[in-house]
Amino acid sequence: MTQKSVSDLRVKILSALSDPTRLELLDFLSAGERCVCEILPAFQRSQSTISKHLNILYEADILERKIDGKRTVYRIKDPQVFDLIRMIDSIALKQISQLAEAGRILEISLNNGR
Amino acid sequence: MTQKSVSDLRVKILSALSDPTRLELLDFLSAGERCVCEILPAFQRSQSTISKHLNILYEADILERKIDGKRTVYRIKDPQVFDLIRMIDSIALKQISQLAEAGRILEISLNNGR
DNA sequence: TCTAATAATCGTTTTATGGCGATAAGTTTA
DNA sequence: TAAACTTATCGCCATAAAACGATTATTAGA
């Protein structure tokens, strides 16, 4: 039996999410389930690359899939991933505003020095 | 000027978090700021490896550091990362309980078949 | 001013990841 | 059943990431 710890799973989930193409895939699928043939035209990546990315998200239990005739349909398994992404964005936005603030202060001190 | 988008930053943050050693470092630092010389004995990794991991977390704006004499002290910059990790754990725990449930159902059907 | 302590950085090796085209495998349709 | 469609997988290459030991730079203390 392959024991799974929460630590292993969280690294697996975080790794699956730490790629721009995969984040775009999640965004794309947030509108609802889609077959691969609908996903492909929306991305400038080869079919094999997209298939691989989808499988990584599937293996991380973030997506589920069903086979429907000759197509495979993917959908978000647990919508809580979007809460997660929102929280990341909130942290990222804080970082950006800190940068902007630092820039403003720098600008002020440069102006004072003129 | 190096423009930073939220998308770039979130990939950077997620990448920084998707490593078991770095998650342990965050856990270790959750008790409060620590210098590298206190961190090292708690990890079975070389000094250069730990230094690199700390720097990755620093570059992702997850840690901040100050130099104090001959030591460098690291601390959590934004405690919201812990909300993030808690949310990951909640997703991971859901996955584990689904696995357990699937195992239970499998066991039942195996028993029925005996 | 030596010496020890501390931590970052360099150079190297090994492993993982992302990308692609080609191929295979399954399904539908003609 | 042959052809077309759809998607997963294989093999390969290039780049990135993780690990280590050795080196460097800085500071504290003898």
Side-chain angles (χ1 to χ4, degrees):
Chain A
M1 157 89 87
T2 317
Q3 260 288 33
K4 301 228 181 205
S5 70
V6 174
S7 322
D8 293 344
L9 277 182
R10 65 184 185 186
V11 170
K12 193 167 200 175
I13 293 168
L14 285 162
S15 305
L17 294 177
S18 59
D19 176 273
T21 304
R22 292 196 287 271
L23 289 174
E24 281 180 57
L25 282 168
L26 292 182
D27 183 54
F28 187 78
L29 289 173
S30 68
E33 61 177 34
R34 293 285 184 276
C35 70
V36 179
C37 58
E38 291 171 303
I39 297 170
L40 286 178
F43 290 81
Q44 339 289 351
R45 291 271 169 276
S46 72
Q47 179 266 321
S48 66
T49 297
I50 294 297
S51 179
K52 206 181 207 174
H53 280 306
L54 287 170
N55 195 52
I56 288 170
L57 291 167
Y58 173 76
E59 286 294 325
D61 256 327
I62 293 168
L63 297 183
E64 47 189 3
R65 67 183 168 207
K66 62 165 187 260
I67 291 170
D68 175 29
K70 61 182 171 182
R71 14 197 95 169
T72 307
V73 178
Y74 282 89
R75 65 167 168 271
I76 304 289
K77 184 168 182 182
D78 183 352
Q80 201 182 354
V81 287
F82 293 113
D83 298 340
L84 201 72
I85 292 172
R86 264 192 294 278
M87 193 175 277
I88 299 273
D89 283 352
S90 128
I91 293 175
L93 281 169
K94 253 189 273 179
Q95 293 183 0
I96 286 177
S97 64
Q98 280 168 6
L99 267 183
E101 175 65 7
R104 205 178 58 76
I105 290 168
L106 177 63
E107 199 182 323
I108 290 169
S109 55
L110 286 174
N111 285 339
N112 286 343
R114 105 185 94 96
Chain B
M1 156 92 86
T2 317
Q3 260 286 34
K4 301 228 181 204
S5 71
V6 175
S7 322
D8 293 345
L9 277 182
R10 64 184 186 186
V11 170
K12 192 169 200 174
I13 294 168
L14 284 164
S15 305
L17 294 177
S18 59
D19 175 274
T21 304
R22 292 197 287 271
L23 288 175
E24 281 181 57
L25 282 168
L26 292 181
D27 182 55
F28 187 78
L29 289 174
S30 67
E33 61 177 35
R34 294 283 185 276
C35 70
V36 179
C37 58
E38 292 171 303
I39 297 170
L40 286 178
F43 290 81
Q44 338 289 350
R45 290 270 172 274
S46 72
Q47 180 266 320
S48 65
T49 296
I50 293 298
S51 179
K52 204 179 207 175
H53 280 306
L54 287 169
N55 194 52
I56 289 171
L57 290 167
Y58 173 76
E59 286 293 325
D61 255 328
I62 294 168
L63 296 183
E64 48 189 4
R65 66 185 169 205
K66 63 166 186 257
I67 291 169
D68 174 29
K70 61 182 171 182
R71 8 198 102 169
T72 306
V73 178
Y74 283 89
R75 65 166 167 273
I76 303 289
K77 183 168 184 183
D78 182 353
Q80 201 182 355
V81 288
F82 293 113
D83 298 341
L84 201 73
I85 292 172
R86 263 193 293 279
M87 194 175 276
I88 299 273
D89 284 353
S90 127
I91 293 175
L93 282 169
K94 254 188 274 178
Q95 292 183 0
I96 286 178
S97 63
Q98 281 168 5
L99 266 184
E101 176 64 7
R104 205 177 58 76
I105 290 167
L106 176 63
E107 199 182 322
I108 290 168
S109 54
L110 287 174
N111 285 341
N112 287 344
R114 104 183 95 96

